[in-house]
Amino acid sequence: MRPVDTLYLLGLAAIWGASFLFMRIIAPEIGTVPTAFFRVSIAAAGLLVMLTVMRVSWDFQGKFKTVLLLGVINSGIPATLYSLAAQVLPAGYSAIFNATTPLMGVLIGGLFFSERLTPSKLAGVCLGLFGVGVLTRAGPVAFDLELLIGALACLLATTCYGFAGFLARRWLDQRGGLDSRLSALGSMLGATLFLLPLFAYSAISHPPASWGGWQVWMSLLGLGLVCTAFAYVLYFRLLTSIGPVKSMTTTFLIPPFGVLWGALLLGEPLSMAHVYGGVLIGGALGLVLRPQKS
């Protein structure tokens, strides 16, 4: 890769790693649903401005409703689940669990979309889940019901990502040329519409004790504009310049940044379980993502 592409790749991983830091700051203050709603709605507004400035043609090729539905699966539900996890899990834990996304994609592809489940991929899934078990059982956070709920929320979020990837390929026919930036905008709009009634109900029936101070709202802006809207634009640029396979290596790079930001800025404890669990999941990704012999 060109040096500039390597810089973009590292920058994207650092930005996405920071999203778990921001959620860890926001969710305990204002709650799960408000965190998720503000994240996707701010991102939608940011993308709308960006695409207008970039003069993107607003041609959804008749797939606007489909993109909205994908937004619920790929953004609305995962944002809610990660916000739930952020109330009980350190940022580093969520970042490491997020790396199981390709593993869930392998399982979902084999079970529901007739994808070939090779021995290498199956071994990768088992190794990755073992890594998750090591982190949850031997990590610095007490092994209790809250930890299990947080871990399960993260794994359900990555399951949604896995389904969304296959559904996007089937419903949107990416070879047909639907602008991926429009897919991103539609996804955020769909997530916003999905979460709006939930947010309204939550705000009326169970309002948070506090809507937070300037730190919470600056974190929300960072989460929505930088970690979501801007990150999408940067990711699309990488897809164009280095292709989807190399761009997928961000999956390996996000956990170290997530753990680093949590330790440096939130004082989250570190242990060798982070290393053991991260290495196991990284090895699992290597098994899943390596090219298969024809």
Side-chain angles (χ1 to χ4, degrees):
M1 294 188 298
R2 299 176 304 166
V4 67
D5 291 327
T6 301
L7 184 62
Y8 285 151
L9 193 66
L10 290 172
L12 181 61
I15 289 171
W16 272 339
S19 67
F20 301 100
L21 165 74
F22 287 135
M23 284 188 286
R24 184 62 172 157
I25 294 172
I26 300 163
E29 289 288 332
I30 67 174
T32 297
V33 174
T35 300
F37 172 75
F38 285 123
R39 176 181 188 175
V40 297
S41 59
I42 291 172
L47 281 168
L48 189 61
V49 172
M50 288 183 191
L51 269 59
T52 300
V53 172
M54 297 166 70
R55 298 182 179 179
V56 174
S57 174
W58 304 100
D59 181 13
F60 282 90
Q61 302 177 9
K63 300 173 182 176
F64 183 63
K65 292 182 179 179
T66 301
V67 174
L68 292 180
L69 178 58
L70 277 174
V72 175
I73 302 170
N74 192 55
S75 300
I77 298 175
T80 306
L81 290 168
Y82 274 124
S83 297
L84 173 63
Q87 297 204 51
V88 295
L89 290 184
Y93 272 55
S94 295
I96 293 175
F97 290 149
N98 180 70
T100 63
T101 297
L103 310 182
M104 293 302 180
V106 167
L107 276 179
I108 290 165
L111 293 173
F112 299 101
F113 295 94
S114 302
E115 293 284 319
R116 184 185 174 202
L117 191 60
T118 65
S120 173
K121 290 182 177 180
L122 186 59
V125 170
C126 294
L127 184 62
L129 294 178
F130 179 64
V132 169
V134 168
L135 181 62
T136 53
R137 192 67 182 90
V141 177
F143 184 75
D144 55 16
L145 182 59
E146 282 193 346
L147 174 61
L148 290 176
I149 291 174
L152 180 61
C154 291
L155 294 178
L156 287 175
T158 60
T159 301
C160 289
Y161 289 150
F163 270 110
F166 285 102
L167 292 175
R169 187 170 66 183
R170 172 173 293 185
W171 292 348
L172 299 183
D173 185 16
Q174 296 298 328
R175 292 175 299 176
L178 179 62
D179 194 320
S180 54
R181 294 169 295 183
L182 290 179
S183 297
L185 174 61
S187 179
M188 290 300 113
L189 290 174
T192 300
L193 292 173
F194 167 71
L195 287 170
L196 179 59
L198 299 178
F199 169 70
Y201 174 78
S202 172
I204 294 172
S205 62
H206 300 94
S210 169
W211 287 99
W214 67 269
Q215 288 182 319
V216 168
W217 287 94
M218 290 300 293
S219 296
L220 273 170
L221 290 176
L223 180 63
L225 295 179
V226 180
C227 297
T228 308
F230 175 72
Y232 264 112
V233 175
L234 187 58
Y235 182 62
F236 297 146
R237 179 165 183 169
L238 278 172
L239 285 175
T240 301
S241 60
I242 66 176
V245 175
K246 290 181 179 179
S247 298
M248 197 180 295
T249 57
T250 51
T251 305
F252 295 90
L253 300 172
I254 291 171
F257 280 108
V259 173
L260 177 65
W261 299 145
L264 288 180
L265 301 177
L266 296 179
E268 293 181 351
L270 298 176
S271 77
M272 289 304 296
H274 284 91
V275 178
Y276 300 147
V279 167
L280 288 170
I281 292 173
L285 292 175
L287 289 172
V288 167
L289 298 177
R290 73 179 183 179
Q292 301 296 316
K293 295 181 180 179
S294 57

mmCIF file of all heavy atoms in Angstrom, residues 226-253:
data_model
loop_
_atom_site.group_PDB
_atom_site.id
_atom_site.type_symbol
_atom_site.label_atom_id
_atom_site.label_comp_id
_atom_site.label_asym_id
_atom_site.label_seq_id
_atom_site.Cartn_x
_atom_site.Cartn_y
_atom_site.Cartn_z
ATOM 1 N N VAL A 226 -17.438 12.217 14.059
ATOM 2 C CA VAL A 226 -16.101 11.711 13.732
ATOM 3 C C VAL A 226 -16.096 10.192 13.589
ATOM 4 O O VAL A 226 -15.673 9.657 12.557
ATOM 5 C CB VAL A 226 -15.081 12.144 14.809
ATOM 6 C CG1 VAL A 226 -13.690 11.600 14.460
ATOM 7 C CG2 VAL A 226 -15.034 13.661 14.921
ATOM 8 N N CYS A 227 -16.591 9.498 14.626
ATOM 9 C CA CYS A 227 -16.498 8.031 14.640
ATOM 10 C C CYS A 227 -17.522 7.356 13.743
ATOM 11 O O CYS A 227 -17.399 6.140 13.502
ATOM 12 C CB CYS A 227 -16.657 7.506 16.070
ATOM 13 S SG CYS A 227 -15.365 8.052 17.191
ATOM 14 N N THR A 228 -18.517 8.070 13.288
ATOM 15 C CA THR A 228 -19.534 7.450 12.443
ATOM 16 C C THR A 228 -19.564 8.097 11.059
ATOM 17 O O THR A 228 -19.229 7.453 10.063
ATOM 18 C CB THR A 228 -20.919 7.529 13.102
ATOM 19 O OG1 THR A 228 -20.832 7.018 14.443
ATOM 20 C CG2 THR A 228 -21.934 6.690 12.335
ATOM 21 N N ALA A 229 -19.933 9.379 10.971
ATOM 22 C CA ALA A 229 -20.065 10.028 9.669
ATOM 23 C C ALA A 229 -18.723 10.140 8.950
ATOM 24 O O ALA A 229 -18.565 9.657 7.817
ATOM 25 C CB ALA A 229 -20.688 11.419 9.849
ATOM 26 N N PHE A 230 -17.734 10.780 9.574
ATOM 27 C CA PHE A 230 -16.431 10.947 8.928
ATOM 28 C C PHE A 230 -15.756 9.604 8.688
ATOM 29 O O PHE A 230 -15.109 9.386 7.657
ATOM 30 C CB PHE A 230 -15.528 11.846 9.773
ATOM 31 C CG PHE A 230 -14.130 11.985 9.239
ATOM 32 C CD1 PHE A 230 -13.885 12.732 8.089
ATOM 33 C CD2 PHE A 230 -13.064 11.353 9.858
ATOM 34 C CE1 PHE A 230 -12.604 12.839 7.578
ATOM 35 C CE2 PHE A 230 -11.783 11.462 9.359
ATOM 36 C CZ PHE A 230 -11.552 12.208 8.222
ATOM 37 N N ALA A 231 -15.903 8.670 9.636
ATOM 38 C CA ALA A 231 -15.288 7.355 9.479
ATOM 39 C C ALA A 231 -15.841 6.628 8.258
ATOM 40 O O ALA A 231 -15.101 5.933 7.550
ATOM 41 C CB ALA A 231 -15.504 6.520 10.740
ATOM 42 N N TYR A 232 -17.139 6.774 7.988
ATOM 43 C CA TYR A 232 -17.715 6.170 6.793
ATOM 44 C C TYR A 232 -17.052 6.713 5.537
ATOM 45 O O TYR A 232 -16.677 5.963 4.631
ATOM 46 C CB TYR A 232 -19.220 6.451 6.733
ATOM 47 C CG TYR A 232 -20.083 5.352 7.290
ATOM 48 C CD1 TYR A 232 -20.821 5.525 8.451
ATOM 49 C CD2 TYR A 232 -20.186 4.129 6.640
ATOM 50 C CE1 TYR A 232 -21.623 4.522 8.963
ATOM 51 C CE2 TYR A 232 -20.987 3.114 7.144
ATOM 52 C CZ TYR A 232 -21.699 3.326 8.298
ATOM 53 O OH TYR A 232 -22.481 2.317 8.795
ATOM 54 N N VAL A 233 -16.903 8.032 5.455
ATOM 55 C CA VAL A 233 -16.292 8.643 4.275
ATOM 56 C C VAL A 233 -14.852 8.154 4.103
ATOM 57 O O VAL A 233 -14.414 7.829 2.995
ATOM 58 C CB VAL A 233 -16.329 10.179 4.394
ATOM 59 C CG1 VAL A 233 -15.581 10.826 3.233
ATOM 60 C CG2 VAL A 233 -17.780 10.668 4.425
ATOM 61 N N LEU A 234 -14.105 8.081 5.204
ATOM 62 C CA LEU A 234 -12.728 7.604 5.148
ATOM 63 C C LEU A 234 -12.686 6.146 4.714
ATOM 64 O O LEU A 234 -11.822 5.742 3.909
ATOM 65 C CB LEU A 234 -12.077 7.778 6.524
ATOM 66 C CG LEU A 234 -10.576 7.490 6.637
ATOM 67 C CD1 LEU A 234 -9.790 8.372 5.689
ATOM 68 C CD2 LEU A 234 -10.109 7.715 8.070
ATOM 69 N N TYR A 235 -13.608 5.341 5.209
ATOM 70 C CA TYR A 235 -13.652 3.930 4.844
ATOM 71 C C TYR A 235 -13.946 3.750 3.358
ATOM 72 O O TYR A 235 -13.332 2.910 2.688
ATOM 73 C CB TYR A 235 -14.703 3.218 5.689
ATOM 74 C CG TYR A 235 -14.803 1.739 5.432
ATOM 75 C CD1 TYR A 235 -13.716 0.893 5.663
ATOM 76 C CD2 TYR A 235 -15.989 1.172 4.958
ATOM 77 C CE1 TYR A 235 -13.807 -0.472 5.439
ATOM 78 C CE2 TYR A 235 -16.084 -0.190 4.735
ATOM 79 C CZ TYR A 235 -14.989 -1.008 4.971
ATOM 80 O OH TYR A 235 -15.083 -2.359 4.744
ATOM 81 N N PHE A 236 -14.862 4.554 2.835
ATOM 82 C CA PHE A 236 -15.185 4.452 1.415
ATOM 83 C C PHE A 236 -13.979 4.830 0.552
ATOM 84 O O PHE A 236 -13.748 4.255 -0.507
ATOM 85 C CB PHE A 236 -16.371 5.351 1.077
ATOM 86 C CG PHE A 236 -17.629 4.962 1.788
ATOM 87 C CD1 PHE A 236 -18.540 5.922 2.191
ATOM 88 C CD2 PHE A 236 -17.910 3.642 2.068
ATOM 89 C CE1 PHE A 236 -19.697 5.570 2.854
ATOM 90 C CE2 PHE A 236 -19.062 3.277 2.738
ATOM 91 C CZ PHE A 236 -19.960 4.248 3.125
ATOM 92 N N ARG A 237 -13.203 5.795 1.016
ATOM 93 C CA ARG A 237 -11.996 6.175 0.275
ATOM 94 C C ARG A 237 -11.003 5.016 0.254
ATOM 95 O O ARG A 237 -10.372 4.748 -0.772
ATOM 96 C CB ARG A 237 -11.359 7.402 0.909
ATOM 97 C CG ARG A 237 -10.079 7.842 0.211
ATOM 98 C CD ARG A 237 -9.676 9.231 0.601
ATOM 99 N NE ARG A 237 -8.493 9.666 -0.118
ATOM 100 C CZ ARG A 237 -8.034 10.910 -0.144
ATOM 101 N NH1 ARG A 237 -8.684 11.855 0.519
ATOM 102 N NH2 ARG A 237 -6.957 11.223 -0.823
ATOM 103 N N LEU A 238 -10.885 4.317 1.383
ATOM 104 C CA LEU A 238 -9.996 3.157 1.427
ATOM 105 C C LEU A 238 -10.495 2.036 0.522
ATOM 106 O O LEU A 238 -9.698 1.367 -0.153
ATOM 107 C CB LEU A 238 -9.872 2.651 2.863
ATOM 108 C CG LEU A 238 -8.877 3.375 3.765
ATOM 109 C CD1 LEU A 238 -9.013 2.888 5.199
ATOM 110 C CD2 LEU A 238 -7.456 3.162 3.275
ATOM 111 N N LEU A 239 -11.801 1.811 0.504
ATOM 112 C CA LEU A 239 -12.355 0.783 -0.374
ATOM 113 C C LEU A 239 -11.976 1.042 -1.822
ATOM 114 O O LEU A 239 -11.657 0.121 -2.580
ATOM 115 C CB LEU A 239 -13.878 0.732 -0.236
ATOM 116 C CG LEU A 239 -14.449 0.078 1.021
ATOM 117 C CD1 LEU A 239 -15.962 0.220 1.041
ATOM 118 C CD2 LEU A 239 -14.056 -1.387 1.109
ATOM 119 N N THR A 240 -12.002 2.311 -2.208
ATOM 120 C CA THR A 240 -11.680 2.673 -3.585
ATOM 121 C C THR A 240 -10.198 2.503 -3.879
ATOM 122 O O THR A 240 -9.814 2.035 -4.951
ATOM 123 C CB THR A 240 -12.100 4.127 -3.857
ATOM 124 O OG1 THR A 240 -13.498 4.267 -3.625
ATOM 125 C CG2 THR A 240 -11.785 4.524 -5.289
ATOM 126 N N SER A 241 -9.346 2.849 -2.917
ATOM 127 C CA SER A 241 -7.906 2.892 -3.177
ATOM 128 C C SER A 241 -7.209 1.554 -2.938
ATOM 129 O O SER A 241 -6.269 1.213 -3.659
ATOM 130 C CB SER A 241 -7.248 3.979 -2.324
ATOM 131 O OG SER A 241 -7.454 3.730 -0.944
ATOM 132 N N ILE A 242 -7.637 0.764 -1.948
ATOM 133 C CA ILE A 242 -6.921 -0.480 -1.638
ATOM 134 C C ILE A 242 -7.809 -1.710 -1.709
ATOM 135 O O ILE A 242 -7.314 -2.825 -1.558
ATOM 136 C CB ILE A 242 -6.235 -0.406 -0.250
ATOM 137 C CG1 ILE A 242 -7.281 -0.329 0.865
ATOM 138 C CG2 ILE A 242 -5.273 0.757 -0.187
ATOM 139 C CD1 ILE A 242 -6.666 -0.360 2.269
ATOM 140 N N GLY A 243 -9.118 -1.544 -1.895
ATOM 141 C CA GLY A 243 -10.004 -2.683 -2.038
ATOM 142 C C GLY A 243 -10.559 -3.182 -0.715
ATOM 143 O O GLY A 243 -10.059 -2.828 0.357
ATOM 144 N N PRO A 244 -11.601 -4.026 -0.756
ATOM 145 C CA PRO A 244 -12.283 -4.463 0.464
ATOM 146 C C PRO A 244 -11.457 -5.392 1.344
ATOM 147 O O PRO A 244 -11.594 -5.371 2.568
ATOM 148 C CB PRO A 244 -13.529 -5.177 -0.070
ATOM 149 C CG PRO A 244 -13.178 -5.590 -1.456
ATOM 150 C CD PRO A 244 -12.255 -4.535 -1.975
ATOM 151 N N VAL A 245 -10.606 -6.247 0.754
ATOM 152 C CA VAL A 245 -9.864 -7.207 1.563
ATOM 153 C C VAL A 245 -8.866 -6.501 2.476
ATOM 154 O O VAL A 245 -8.809 -6.746 3.685
ATOM 155 C CB VAL A 245 -9.137 -8.231 0.662
ATOM 156 C CG1 VAL A 245 -8.267 -9.145 1.513
ATOM 157 C CG2 VAL A 245 -10.151 -9.064 -0.124
ATOM 158 N N LYS A 246 -8.064 -5.619 1.906
ATOM 159 C CA LYS A 246 -7.099 -4.885 2.720
ATOM 160 C C LYS A 246 -7.800 -3.940 3.690
ATOM 161 O O LYS A 246 -7.326 -3.732 4.817
ATOM 162 C CB LYS A 246 -6.119 -4.109 1.834
ATOM 163 C CG LYS A 246 -5.154 -4.997 1.066
ATOM 164 C CD LYS A 246 -4.181 -4.180 0.230
ATOM 165 C CE LYS A 246 -3.207 -5.086 -0.517
ATOM 166 N NZ LYS A 246 -2.267 -4.308 -1.363
ATOM 167 N N SER A 247 -8.909 -3.362 3.271
ATOM 168 C CA SER A 247 -9.649 -2.471 4.173
ATOM 169 C C SER A 247 -10.159 -3.227 5.388
ATOM 170 O O SER A 247 -10.280 -2.664 6.486
ATOM 171 C CB SER A 247 -10.827 -1.831 3.430
ATOM 172 O OG SER A 247 -10.382 -1.036 2.355
ATOM 173 N N MET A 248 -10.443 -4.520 5.217
ATOM 174 C CA MET A 248 -10.960 -5.334 6.308
ATOM 175 C C MET A 248 -9.932 -5.520 7.425
ATOM 176 O O MET A 248 -10.277 -5.920 8.539
ATOM 177 C CB MET A 248 -11.416 -6.700 5.788
ATOM 178 C CG MET A 248 -12.320 -7.471 6.739
ATOM 179 S SD MET A 248 -12.821 -9.083 6.057
ATOM 180 C CE MET A 248 -13.798 -8.552 4.651
ATOM 181 N N THR A 249 -8.656 -5.226 7.145
ATOM 182 C CA THR A 249 -7.640 -5.371 8.191
ATOM 183 C C THR A 249 -7.845 -4.389 9.335
ATOM 184 O O THR A 249 -7.202 -4.527 10.386
ATOM 185 C CB THR A 249 -6.224 -5.192 7.610
ATOM 186 O OG1 THR A 249 -6.123 -3.917 6.966
ATOM 187 C CG2 THR A 249 -5.905 -6.288 6.608
ATOM 188 N N THR A 250 -8.721 -3.417 9.169
ATOM 189 C CA THR A 250 -9.059 -2.552 10.303
ATOM 190 C C THR A 250 -9.601 -3.374 11.469
ATOM 191 O O THR A 250 -9.470 -2.975 12.627
ATOM 192 C CB THR A 250 -10.114 -1.500 9.909
ATOM 193 O OG1 THR A 250 -11.233 -2.154 9.281
ATOM 194 C CG2 THR A 250 -9.542 -0.475 8.951
ATOM 195 N N THR A 251 -10.204 -4.529 11.147
ATOM 196 C CA THR A 251 -10.725 -5.401 12.192
ATOM 197 C C THR A 251 -9.628 -5.811 13.175
ATOM 198 O O THR A 251 -9.861 -5.941 14.372
ATOM 199 C CB THR A 251 -11.346 -6.665 11.560
ATOM 200 O OG1 THR A 251 -12.331 -6.271 10.607
ATOM 201 C CG2 THR A 251 -12.010 -7.532 12.610
ATOM 202 N N PHE A 252 -8.401 -6.008 12.652
ATOM 203 C CA PHE A 252 -7.282 -6.379 13.508
ATOM 204 C C PHE A 252 -6.788 -5.198 14.335
ATOM 205 O O PHE A 252 -6.222 -5.381 15.411
ATOM 206 C CB PHE A 252 -6.108 -6.885 12.662
ATOM 207 C CG PHE A 252 -6.372 -8.159 11.923
ATOM 208 C CD1 PHE A 252 -6.900 -8.150 10.644
ATOM 209 C CD2 PHE A 252 -6.088 -9.386 12.498
ATOM 210 C CE1 PHE A 252 -7.133 -9.327 9.949
ATOM 211 C CE2 PHE A 252 -6.320 -10.568 11.813
ATOM 212 C CZ PHE A 252 -6.840 -10.535 10.536
ATOM 213 N N LEU A 253 -6.954 -3.988 13.820
ATOM 214 C CA LEU A 253 -6.328 -2.811 14.410
ATOM 215 C C LEU A 253 -7.208 -2.088 15.418
ATOM 216 O O LEU A 253 -6.698 -1.364 16.272
ATOM 217 C CB LEU A 253 -5.931 -1.823 13.291
ATOM 218 C CG LEU A 253 -4.945 -2.361 12.251
ATOM 219 C CD1 LEU A 253 -4.787 -1.360 11.115
ATOM 220 C CD2 LEU A 253 -3.594 -2.658 12.892
#
